[in-house]
Amino acid sequence: MPSGSPGSADWALEPALGAEVAAPATTLSTQRAATPNPEDQLVSQTASEQPRLELLPAVDVVEGRAVQLVQGVAGTGGDFGDPLEAALAWQEQGAEWLHLVDLDAAFGRGSNADLLARIVGALDIDVEMSGGIRDAESLARALSAGCRRVNLGTAALEDPEWTARAIAEHGDRVAVGLDVRGTTLAARGWTQEGGDLWETLARLDAEGCARYVVTDVAKDGMLQGPNLALLRDVCARTDRPVVASGGVSTLEDVAAIRTLVGEGVEGAIIGSALYRGAFTLPEALDVAGRP
């Protein structure tokens, strides 16, 4: 359903986030417990033998609304209502992290900084903040909002000297987003090319970057599964932790990413699949491993 369509927020938000689905989810869990599914048992058995995968539900904000885009294209994916309500719902359902993005700032067409600061202040969980953080002022504003870390994107490609200083000053509170088409990085809200993935990764590693958020732009919002090969390739070239983003559509996808934890994947960002009700966050947390 297009972003901003009449009734789209109510239609989309209630199935994924509303209280009305809590009882059916519990009933489904009870039924599964009473009649074990061999596939569920296999996933559970395999998962219990693997290191834990952190999950970061995404709240992407455009003009004060929670949205999900398809391949980063403005106006696609759907409107999912009040971003504060969405963030609080993910926290209530067990999230320990939130991936919070100002898409207006990422596209260079505005800012939701005050709203994002209010969201961070209302939460008791860690927040990774992203979108339009390209200079000292925007970095200071994001960090002062109380987020655990920020995710630099375009700045890491267009202003490497400032990025190196930010990494040196703030350490693991700064991650760098590597948004990729093939092996070419995307910048400016994915509207421009930003250089070679491997050259940029080598430079950032040398500068001491603590963490990377890796997105296959072609997969983002498509619900077609993550690019596991890309994640493996990045992990093979760096010893820094990697957060996977883009493509998760099923619990099997979550389980597949979890198998890469030993290779360096630390977490996974999940957006469209949760908002569209492909599975619940508690179900995903069970597959990813709980504390």
Side-chain angles (χ1 to χ4, degrees), residues 265-291:
V265 174
E266 175 185 73
I269 296 167
I270 306 179
S272 295
L274 289 174
Y275 286 92
R276 298 194 177 283
F279 49 79
T280 68
L281 180 57
E283 288 172 336
L285 290 168
D286 286 341
V287 173
R290 292 180 180 270

Side-chain angles (χ1 to χ4, degrees), residues 30-54:
T30 303
Q31 290 172 343
R32 285 177 176 170
T35 308
N37 184 317
E39 292 184 1
D40 289 345
Q41 290 180 316
L42 178 60
V43 170
S44 177
Q45 179 180 2
T46 302
S48 67
E49 299 168 357
Q50 298 167 354
R52 181 171 171 255
L53 176 73
E54 292 179 350

Side-chain angles (χ1 to χ4, degrees), residues 200-248:
T200 302
L201 180 60
R203 169 174 61 81
L204 291 166
D205 257 9
E207 292 168 353
C209 183
R211 179 176 283 98
Y212 301 104
V213 178
V214 178
T215 304
D216 181 346
V217 175
K219 293 282 190 178
D220 192 69
M222 296 296 290
L223 297 176
Q224 294 179 353
N227 188 337
L228 301 177
L230 172 64
L231 296 172
R232 288 193 181 96
D233 288 346
V234 172
C235 289
R237 296 190 184 222
T238 181
D239 60 358
R240 315 299 158 79
V242 169
V243 177
S245 177
V248 172

Side-chain angles (χ1 to χ4, degrees), residues 52-95:
R52 181 171 171 255
L53 176 73
E54 292 179 350
L55 296 185
L56 298 81
V59 176
D60 299 350
V61 182
V62 170
E63 297 180 350
R65 304 286 290 177
V67 304
Q68 287 290 294
L69 304 186
V70 176
Q71 297 181 331
V73 178
T76 63
D79 181 317
F80 294 92
D82 184 342
L84 175 57
E85 290 182 5
L88 290 171
W90 298 139
Q91 175 177 271
E92 183 179 352
Q93 293 178 31

Side-chain angles (χ1 to χ4, degrees), residues 5-286:
S5 298
S8 63
D10 293 339
W11 169 82
L13 192 60
E14 290 181 4
L17 299 176
E20 293 181 7
V21 300
T26 303
T27 302
L28 179 59
S29 299
T30 303
Q31 290 172 343
R32 285 177 176 170
T35 308
N37 184 317
E39 292 184 1
D40 289 345
Q41 290 180 316
L42 178 60
V43 170
S44 177
Q45 179 180 2
T46 302
S48 67
E49 299 168 357
Q50 298 167 354
R52 181 171 171 255
L53 176 73
E54 292 179 350
L55 296 185
L56 298 81
V59 176
D60 299 350
V61 182
V62 170
E63 297 180 350
R65 304 286 290 177
V67 304
Q68 287 290 294
L69 304 186
V70 176
Q71 297 181 331
V73 178
T76 63
D79 181 317
F80 294 92
D82 184 342
L84 175 57
E85 290 182 5
L88 290 171
W90 298 139
Q91 175 177 271
E92 183 179 352
Q93 293 178 31
E96 297 176 277
W97 276 92
L98 188 79
H99 182 69
L100 182 61
V101 186
D102 187 340
L103 286 175
D104 288 319
F107 284 114
R109 64 190 182 195
S111 173
N112 297 280
D114 291 341
L115 173 58
L116 265 60
R118 289 200 301 273
I119 293 172
V120 174
L123 297 174
D124 298 318
I125 58 177
D126 289 323
V127 175
E128 174 181 83
M129 189 180 292
S130 183
I133 304 171
R134 296 175 182 146
D135 54 30
E137 181 182 357
S138 54
L139 175 60
R141 182 171 59 240
L143 292 173
S144 67
C147 63
R148 174 62 185 85
R149 65 177 179 247
V150 299
N151 186 26
L152 305 182
T154 296
L157 308 178
E158 296 184 352
D159 195 346
E161 292 183 359
W162 175 77
T163 300
R165 293 195 299 271
I167 289 170
E169 181 177 355
H170 298 288
D172 71 353
R173 293 196 72 189
V174 172
V176 170
L178 301 174
D179 303 333
V180 188
R181 289 188 181 94
T183 59
T184 300
L185 292 165
R188 296 279 168 182
W190 301 351
T191 61
Q192 300 177 16
E193 292 188 356
D196 180 73
L197 168 62
W198 307 125
E199 292 176 1
T200 302
L201 180 60
R203 169 174 61 81
L204 291 166
D205 257 9
E207 292 168 353
C209 183
R211 179 176 283 98
Y212 301 104
V213 178
V214 178
T215 304
D216 181 346
V217 175
K219 293 282 190 178
D220 192 69
M222 296 296 290
L223 297 176
Q224 294 179 353
N227 188 337
L228 301 177
L230 172 64
L231 296 172
R232 288 193 181 96
D233 288 346
V234 172
C235 289
R237 296 190 184 222
T238 181
D239 60 358
R240 315 299 158 79
V242 169
V243 177
S245 177
V248 172
S249 60
T250 66
L251 293 175
E252 288 75 16
D253 291 338
V254 176
I257 296 175
R258 189 178 179 184
T259 66
L260 303 182
V261 172
E263 298 180 40
V265 174
E266 175 185 73
I269 296 167
I270 306 179
S272 295
L274 289 174
Y275 286 92
R276 298 194 177 283
F279 49 79
T280 68
L281 180 57
E283 288 172 336
L285 290 168
D286 286 341

